[in-house]
Amino acid sequence: MIVDLPDTTTSQISKALVKIREEGGAVALGRVLTLVIATRSGAEEEAIEAANDASREHPMRVIVVSTTADADGADVAPRLDAEIRVGGDAGASEVIVLRACGDAADSPESLVMGLLLPDAPVVTWWPGEAPARPGESPLGRIAQRRITDASAQADPQAALRVLAENYSPGDADFAWTRLTLWRAQLAAVLDQPPYEPVTAVDVDGAIDSPSTTLLAAWLQMQLSAETTYRLTPVEQGSHGIHGVRLERPSGPVDLVRDIPGVATLRQPGQPTHDVALPRRSLRDCLADELRRLDPDELYGEVITVGLAELGAPAPDREEAVR
């Protein structure tokens, strides 16, 4: 069910929610958090779909703040339109979509404050363009967790450096969340014999993959080994992390993803294995981040310390040959 509230106010939205609840269309009890999604007009639906899917694991209230930028500096009349989605249109959550323009978009925190669930944690997510300082932004200040996505920025690698400079506990980024399967697979390899030290690390990925850079920073921190990483130009089907090589005295361990979703694991003295390493969906990343509402200390250490120690990427192999 979708209830439209054109040219409305936060007070009227609250009254509509109460009415829907009294009529049995939605139940606020059991919601574990409030998820605030900050996005631009026209980009809401993909984020709402991911939130609806994630809500089946984390029942929540979703508040979408969709703003419209002024066109060519022209004055736009202040206006707030809203939608309330419940039932089949909202998964296991209730979704409030706020479309603000003009002066109504200048104070997003005032739009959502009256709609937050009482005594429930708040998570703010920027699925697209994110502020340089998430923790000091209007919607970031009201949240325990703040989720960004460096890969969605115009320059993903530069976005990582900005996040590192402005990190505050509670910040998170999907570039780190997408590493979960890679980190688990590499840790599983190193937990098996032979228990030899890693002497060097080599990581390859596309230049639009901030996850490649974070993986290299994490490996260097954990293994205290000389680490090289390369960022290659994006070609068709070559997004994301391409592969990792761990040098050990008995020979190298290679985990290489030549085709989307599947990686090949090669180790000395063992048969070659195919490993499922798909790129994680928005739903998977969001659900993963919502499992913890306390700061991710390891991510904080990698983004602030590990990234600074990593340095610049090495030249692409083809360029080096030339």
Side-chain angles (χ1 to χ4, degrees):
M1 180 175 68
I2 299 179
V3 178
D4 288 313
L5 299 171
D7 198 7
T8 187
T9 64
T10 301
S11 176
Q12 291 171 342
I13 297 169
S14 296
K15 291 177 181 178
L17 281 168
V18 172
K19 182 180 179 181
I20 293 171
R21 192 174 305 124
E22 290 175 346
E23 293 174 351
V27 179
L29 298 178
R31 307 291 187 225
V32 298
L33 60 91
T34 301
L35 175 66
V36 178
I37 303 175
T39 185
R40 286 292 184 185
S41 179
E44 309 97 341
E45 293 304 325
E46 185 180 13
I48 291 173
E49 183 179 351
N52 287 348
D53 288 343
S55 72
R56 292 175 171 82
E57 182 177 343
H58 310 280
M60 56 189 166
R61 172 175 289 178
V62 179
I63 304 174
V64 183
V65 182
S66 173
T67 57
T68 302
D70 293 347
D72 299 325
D75 291 333
V76 177
R79 182 183 174 97
L80 175 63
D81 297 326
E83 284 181 9
I84 300 175
R85 306 183 185 184
V86 295
D89 294 292
S93 64
E94 51 191 7
V95 179
I96 305 166
V97 183
L98 306 176
R99 295 187 172 92
C101 57
D103 292 343
D106 292 340
S107 182
E109 73 275 24
S110 66
L111 297 177
V112 306
M113 287 300 293
L115 302 173
L116 301 177
L117 291 174
D119 302 321
V122 178
V123 178
T124 298
W125 172 33
W126 293 269
E129 183 180 353
R133 299 175 180 268
E136 298 179 14
S137 66
L139 292 177
R141 287 193 295 265
I142 65 174
Q144 282 77 28
R145 294 293 307 278
R146 297 164 295 276
I147 305 172
T148 55
D149 190 351
S151 67
Q153 311 308 307
D155 186 338
Q157 299 299 329
L160 271 188
R161 305 292 173 175
V162 172
L163 289 173
E165 293 170 2
N166 300 293
Y167 172 81
S168 58
D171 289 355
D173 193 272
F174 281 168
W176 176 251
T177 319
R178 293 188 181 100
L179 289 179
T180 301
L181 299 179
W182 283 87
R183 291 169 53 213
Q185 185 61 51
L186 291 170
V189 169
L190 295 177
D191 281 343
Q192 300 173 5
Y195 302 106
E196 299 174 326
V198 174
T199 57
V201 177
D202 200 341
V203 182
D204 280 278
I207 196 168
D208 66 347
S209 170
S211 296
T212 299
T213 307
L214 288 181
L215 180 59
W218 174 71
L219 287 169
Q220 180 172 267
M221 284 185 56
Q222 298 300 313
L223 302 176
S224 299
E226 181 180 353
T227 301
T228 302
Y229 72 108
R230 295 175 179 81
L231 302 174
T232 58
V234 177
E235 300 174 356
Q236 187 174 3
S238 65
H239 297 278
I241 302 169
H242 298 161
V244 178
R245 166 167 284 196
L246 306 178
E247 296 283 359
R248 298 193 294 189
S250 61
V253 175
D254 289 312
L255 183 63
V256 180
R257 185 165 61 183
D258 291 324
I259 60 176
V262 180
T264 302
L265 176 63
R266 300 182 182 89
Q267 303 180 74
Q270 297 191 29
T272 299
H273 295 285
D274 287 336
V275 180
L277 279 179
R279 180 177 174 85
R280 306 188 76 192
S281 67
L282 276 182
R283 183 265 176 214
D284 291 338
C285 290
L286 182 60
D288 198 352
E289 286 299 334
L290 294 180
R291 291 189 185 106
R292 60 180 306 158
L293 297 174
D294 57 320
D296 186 337
E297 295 180 357
L298 180 57
Y299 166 73
E301 188 177 2
V302 171
I303 193 75
T304 56
V305 179
L307 199 59
E309 294 177 347
L310 185 63
D316 180 60
R317 286 190 175 90
E318 292 184 4
E319 293 180 357
V321 170
R322 297 192 193 109

